Short mmCIF file of all heavy atoms in Angstrom, two decimals:
data_model
loop_
_atom_site.label_atom_id
_atom_site.label_comp_id
_atom_site.label_asym_id
_atom_site.label_seq_id
_atom_site.Cartn_x
_atom_site.Cartn_y
_atom_site.Cartn_z
N LEU A 820 96.46 -7.86 78.70
CA LEU A 820 96.79 -7.81 80.09
C LEU A 820 96.95 -6.32 80.52
O LEU A 820 97.49 -6.07 81.56
CB LEU A 820 98.13 -8.54 80.38
CG LEU A 820 98.26 -9.97 79.76
CD1 LEU A 820 99.57 -10.58 80.19
CD2 LEU A 820 97.11 -10.85 80.22
N GLY A 821 96.47 -5.44 79.70
CA GLY A 821 96.66 -4.01 79.79
C GLY A 821 96.84 -3.43 81.15
O GLY A 821 97.92 -2.93 81.47
N GLY A 822 95.83 -3.46 81.98
CA GLY A 822 95.92 -2.84 83.30
C GLY A 822 96.98 -3.50 84.15
O GLY A 822 97.77 -2.81 84.84
N LEU A 823 97.02 -4.79 84.10
CA LEU A 823 98.04 -5.51 84.89
C LEU A 823 99.48 -5.19 84.43
O LEU A 823 100.37 -5.00 85.20
CB LEU A 823 97.78 -7.02 84.82
CG LEU A 823 98.72 -7.94 85.62
CD1 LEU A 823 98.48 -7.67 87.13
CD2 LEU A 823 98.47 -9.40 85.32
N SER A 824 99.61 -5.13 83.07
CA SER A 824 100.97 -4.81 82.48
C SER A 824 101.39 -3.41 82.92
O SER A 824 102.56 -3.20 83.30
CB SER A 824 100.92 -4.94 80.99
OG SER A 824 100.57 -6.22 80.56
N THR A 825 100.49 -2.43 82.83
CA THR A 825 100.84 -1.11 83.17
C THR A 825 101.21 -0.98 84.66
O THR A 825 102.22 -0.31 85.01
CB THR A 825 99.66 -0.13 82.87
OG1 THR A 825 99.32 -0.24 81.47
CG2 THR A 825 100.02 1.30 83.18
N SER A 826 100.43 -1.62 85.50
CA SER A 826 100.70 -1.56 86.91
C SER A 826 102.08 -2.25 87.19
O SER A 826 102.87 -1.77 88.03
CB SER A 826 99.59 -2.24 87.67
OG SER A 826 99.87 -2.26 89.08
N PHE A 827 102.29 -3.38 86.56
CA PHE A 827 103.50 -4.10 86.78
C PHE A 827 104.77 -3.27 86.35
O PHE A 827 105.75 -3.20 87.08
CB PHE A 827 103.50 -5.40 85.97
CG PHE A 827 104.80 -6.14 86.00
CD1 PHE A 827 105.18 -6.91 87.11
CD2 PHE A 827 105.65 -6.18 84.89
CE1 PHE A 827 106.37 -7.57 87.14
CE2 PHE A 827 106.85 -6.81 84.92
CZ PHE A 827 107.21 -7.54 86.01
N LEU A 828 104.65 -2.58 85.24
CA LEU A 828 105.75 -1.79 84.77
C LEU A 828 106.10 -0.65 85.71
O LEU A 828 107.26 -0.26 85.86
CB LEU A 828 105.45 -1.23 83.35
CG LEU A 828 106.59 -0.51 82.62
CD1 LEU A 828 107.81 -1.37 82.46
CD2 LEU A 828 106.15 0.05 81.29
N ASN A 829 105.10 -0.11 86.35
CA ASN A 829 105.28 1.05 87.20
C ASN A 829 105.28 0.70 88.70
O ASN A 829 105.25 1.58 89.56
CB ASN A 829 104.23 2.09 86.94
CG ASN A 829 104.27 2.62 85.51
OD1 ASN A 829 105.27 3.18 85.10
ND2 ASN A 829 103.21 2.44 84.75
N SER A 830 105.22 -0.61 88.99
CA SER A 830 105.07 -1.02 90.42
C SER A 830 106.37 -0.80 91.16
O SER A 830 107.47 -0.82 90.61
CB SER A 830 104.67 -2.45 90.50
OG SER A 830 105.69 -3.29 89.92
N ALA A 831 106.19 -0.55 92.45
CA ALA A 831 107.32 -0.46 93.36
C ALA A 831 107.27 -1.70 94.23
O ALA A 831 106.20 -2.19 94.62
CB ALA A 831 107.24 0.79 94.22
N CYS A 832 108.46 -2.20 94.57
CA CYS A 832 108.51 -3.40 95.38
C CYS A 832 108.71 -3.06 96.83
O CYS A 832 109.70 -2.40 97.21
CB CYS A 832 109.68 -4.30 94.93
SG CYS A 832 109.40 -5.06 93.27
N ASP A 833 107.74 -3.40 97.62
CA ASP A 833 107.89 -3.23 99.10
C ASP A 833 107.70 -4.56 99.80
O ASP A 833 107.25 -5.51 99.17
CB ASP A 833 106.91 -2.19 99.61
CG ASP A 833 105.47 -2.56 99.35
OD1 ASP A 833 105.02 -3.60 99.92
OD2 ASP A 833 104.80 -1.86 98.61
N SER A 834 108.01 -4.64 101.02
CA SER A 834 107.87 -5.91 101.75
C SER A 834 106.90 -5.75 102.95
O SER A 834 107.06 -6.36 103.96
CB SER A 834 109.27 -6.27 102.27
OG SER A 834 109.82 -5.24 103.05
N SER A 835 105.85 -4.91 102.73
CA SER A 835 104.91 -4.69 103.82
C SER A 835 103.96 -5.91 104.03
O SER A 835 103.42 -6.09 105.10
CB SER A 835 104.08 -3.44 103.56
OG SER A 835 103.38 -3.57 102.34
N ASN A 836 103.77 -6.69 102.98
CA ASN A 836 102.91 -7.87 103.07
C ASN A 836 103.76 -9.10 103.40
O ASN A 836 104.94 -9.15 103.19
CB ASN A 836 102.13 -8.09 101.77
CG ASN A 836 101.20 -6.93 101.48
OD1 ASN A 836 100.60 -6.33 102.39
ND2 ASN A 836 101.04 -6.57 100.25
N SER A 837 103.11 -10.07 103.87
CA SER A 837 103.76 -11.37 104.15
C SER A 837 103.43 -12.39 103.09
O SER A 837 102.33 -12.36 102.58
CB SER A 837 103.36 -11.93 105.54
OG SER A 837 101.96 -12.15 105.58
N TYR A 838 104.39 -13.24 102.78
CA TYR A 838 104.23 -14.21 101.68
C TYR A 838 104.73 -15.57 102.14
O TYR A 838 105.63 -15.64 103.04
CB TYR A 838 104.96 -13.76 100.47
CG TYR A 838 104.55 -12.36 100.00
CD1 TYR A 838 105.25 -11.30 100.41
CD2 TYR A 838 103.48 -12.18 99.12
CE1 TYR A 838 104.95 -10.01 100.02
CE2 TYR A 838 103.16 -10.94 98.69
CZ TYR A 838 103.82 -9.84 99.17
OH TYR A 838 103.46 -8.59 98.77
N ASP A 839 104.15 -16.58 101.56
CA ASP A 839 104.63 -17.93 101.82
C ASP A 839 106.04 -18.16 101.25
O ASP A 839 106.87 -18.84 101.86
CB ASP A 839 103.64 -18.97 101.31
CG ASP A 839 102.32 -18.90 102.02
OD1 ASP A 839 102.28 -18.89 103.28
OD2 ASP A 839 101.29 -18.77 101.33
N PHE A 840 106.19 -17.70 99.97
CA PHE A 840 107.48 -17.83 99.30
C PHE A 840 107.74 -16.58 98.44
O PHE A 840 106.80 -15.98 97.95
CB PHE A 840 107.46 -19.10 98.40
CG PHE A 840 107.25 -20.36 99.15
CD1 PHE A 840 105.97 -20.95 99.17
CD2 PHE A 840 108.23 -21.00 99.85
CE1 PHE A 840 105.74 -22.12 99.84
CE2 PHE A 840 108.06 -22.18 100.53
CZ PHE A 840 106.78 -22.74 100.55
N THR A 841 109.02 -16.24 98.30
CA THR A 841 109.40 -15.14 97.44
C THR A 841 110.45 -15.69 96.44
O THR A 841 111.38 -16.37 96.83
CB THR A 841 110.05 -14.01 98.24
OG1 THR A 841 109.05 -13.49 99.19
CG2 THR A 841 110.44 -12.87 97.34
N PHE A 842 110.20 -15.30 95.19
CA PHE A 842 111.09 -15.71 94.08
C PHE A 842 111.65 -14.45 93.37
O PHE A 842 111.04 -13.35 93.49
CB PHE A 842 110.38 -16.58 93.08
CG PHE A 842 109.87 -17.89 93.63
CD1 PHE A 842 108.55 -18.00 94.04
CD2 PHE A 842 110.73 -18.98 93.81
CE1 PHE A 842 108.06 -19.16 94.54
CE2 PHE A 842 110.21 -20.14 94.31
CZ PHE A 842 108.87 -20.26 94.70
N PHE A 843 112.73 -14.62 92.72
CA PHE A 843 113.37 -13.51 92.00
C PHE A 843 113.63 -13.89 90.56
O PHE A 843 114.07 -15.03 90.25
CB PHE A 843 114.68 -13.10 92.67
CG PHE A 843 114.50 -12.77 94.14
CD1 PHE A 843 114.73 -13.81 95.10
CD2 PHE A 843 114.15 -11.52 94.54
CE1 PHE A 843 114.57 -13.52 96.42
CE2 PHE A 843 113.98 -11.25 95.91
CZ PHE A 843 114.20 -12.23 96.87
N VAL A 844 113.39 -12.97 89.64
CA VAL A 844 113.67 -13.18 88.21
C VAL A 844 114.67 -12.11 87.86
O VAL A 844 114.40 -10.94 87.93
CB VAL A 844 112.42 -13.09 87.32
CG1 VAL A 844 112.83 -13.17 85.85
CG2 VAL A 844 111.41 -14.17 87.66
N GLU A 845 115.92 -12.55 87.52
CA GLU A 845 116.97 -11.64 87.10
C GLU A 845 117.43 -12.02 85.71
O GLU A 845 118.04 -13.01 85.44
CB GLU A 845 118.20 -11.76 88.07
CG GLU A 845 117.85 -11.39 89.53
CD GLU A 845 117.56 -9.91 89.67
OE1 GLU A 845 118.05 -9.08 88.84
OE2 GLU A 845 116.78 -9.54 90.61
N ARG A 846 117.01 -11.16 84.78
CA ARG A 846 117.21 -11.49 83.32
C ARG A 846 118.70 -11.60 82.90
O ARG A 846 119.01 -12.15 81.89
CB ARG A 846 116.51 -10.48 82.46
CG ARG A 846 114.97 -10.49 82.68
CD ARG A 846 114.31 -9.41 81.85
NE ARG A 846 112.88 -9.36 82.08
CZ ARG A 846 112.30 -8.59 83.00
NH1 ARG A 846 113.08 -7.89 83.82
NH2 ARG A 846 111.03 -8.56 83.20
N GLN A 847 119.58 -10.91 83.66
CA GLN A 847 121.00 -10.87 83.28
C GLN A 847 121.73 -12.15 83.62
O GLN A 847 122.92 -12.31 83.20
CB GLN A 847 121.68 -9.66 83.90
CG GLN A 847 122.19 -9.88 85.29
CD GLN A 847 121.09 -9.73 86.38
OE1 GLN A 847 119.96 -9.62 86.05
NE2 GLN A 847 121.48 -9.68 87.64
N LEU A 848 121.14 -13.07 84.31
CA LEU A 848 121.82 -14.25 84.75
C LEU A 848 122.11 -15.15 83.56
O LEU A 848 121.30 -15.27 82.65
CB LEU A 848 121.05 -15.03 85.81
CG LEU A 848 120.81 -14.26 87.16
CD1 LEU A 848 120.00 -15.19 88.08
CD2 LEU A 848 122.14 -13.94 87.78
N SER A 849 123.25 -15.80 83.56
CA SER A 849 123.64 -16.70 82.49
C SER A 849 123.05 -18.12 82.63
O SER A 849 122.73 -18.78 81.64
CB SER A 849 125.17 -16.85 82.40
OG SER A 849 125.70 -17.28 83.60
N SER A 850 122.79 -18.54 83.86
CA SER A 850 122.17 -19.88 84.05
C SER A 850 120.71 -19.72 84.38
O SER A 850 120.24 -18.66 84.86
CB SER A 850 122.90 -20.61 85.26
OG SER A 850 122.78 -19.77 86.40
N THR A 851 119.91 -20.75 84.12
CA THR A 851 118.47 -20.68 84.29
C THR A 851 118.05 -20.67 85.74
O THR A 851 117.05 -20.08 86.14
CB THR A 851 117.80 -21.89 83.60
OG1 THR A 851 118.30 -23.11 84.14
CG2 THR A 851 118.01 -21.85 82.09
N VAL A 852 118.89 -21.31 86.59
CA VAL A 852 118.57 -21.31 88.05
C VAL A 852 119.76 -20.93 88.84
O VAL A 852 120.83 -21.46 88.66
CB VAL A 852 118.09 -22.75 88.51
CG1 VAL A 852 117.72 -22.72 89.98
CG2 VAL A 852 116.93 -23.23 87.62
N ALA A 853 119.61 -19.98 89.71
CA ALA A 853 120.66 -19.56 90.64
C ALA A 853 120.25 -19.90 92.05
O ALA A 853 119.22 -20.50 92.25
CB ALA A 853 120.98 -18.10 90.45
N ALA A 854 121.08 -19.50 93.01
CA ALA A 854 120.72 -19.78 94.38
C ALA A 854 119.62 -18.91 94.90
O ALA A 854 119.25 -17.90 94.30
CB ALA A 854 122.03 -19.61 95.24
N ASN A 855 119.07 -19.32 96.05
CA ASN A 855 118.12 -18.49 96.78
C ASN A 855 116.83 -18.16 95.97
O ASN A 855 116.34 -17.05 96.00
CB ASN A 855 118.78 -17.19 97.26
CG ASN A 855 119.97 -17.41 98.09
OD1 ASN A 855 119.98 -18.31 98.96
ND2 ASN A 855 121.06 -16.67 97.91
#
């Protein structure tokens, strides 16, 4: 996944584009599913 992995690691998150749905992955959470 080389190029994709490198870009992902160095990517910045902006909200200039529109999306149907947005999800969040927070590794520090103790439960598998949180709110929102």
Side-chain angles (χ1 to χ4, degrees):
L820 311 183
L823 185 66
S824 299
T825 302
S826 178
F827 173 76
L828 185 59
N829 298 301
S830 63
C832 289
D833 60 63
S834 56
S835 59
N836 296 324
S837 61
Y838 305 91
D839 296 308
F840 300 100
T841 299
F842 299 97
F843 305 93
V844 175
E845 299 293 333
R846 300 177 181 87
Q847 84 278 9
L848 295 180
S849 57
S850 59
T851 57
V852 182
N855 303 319

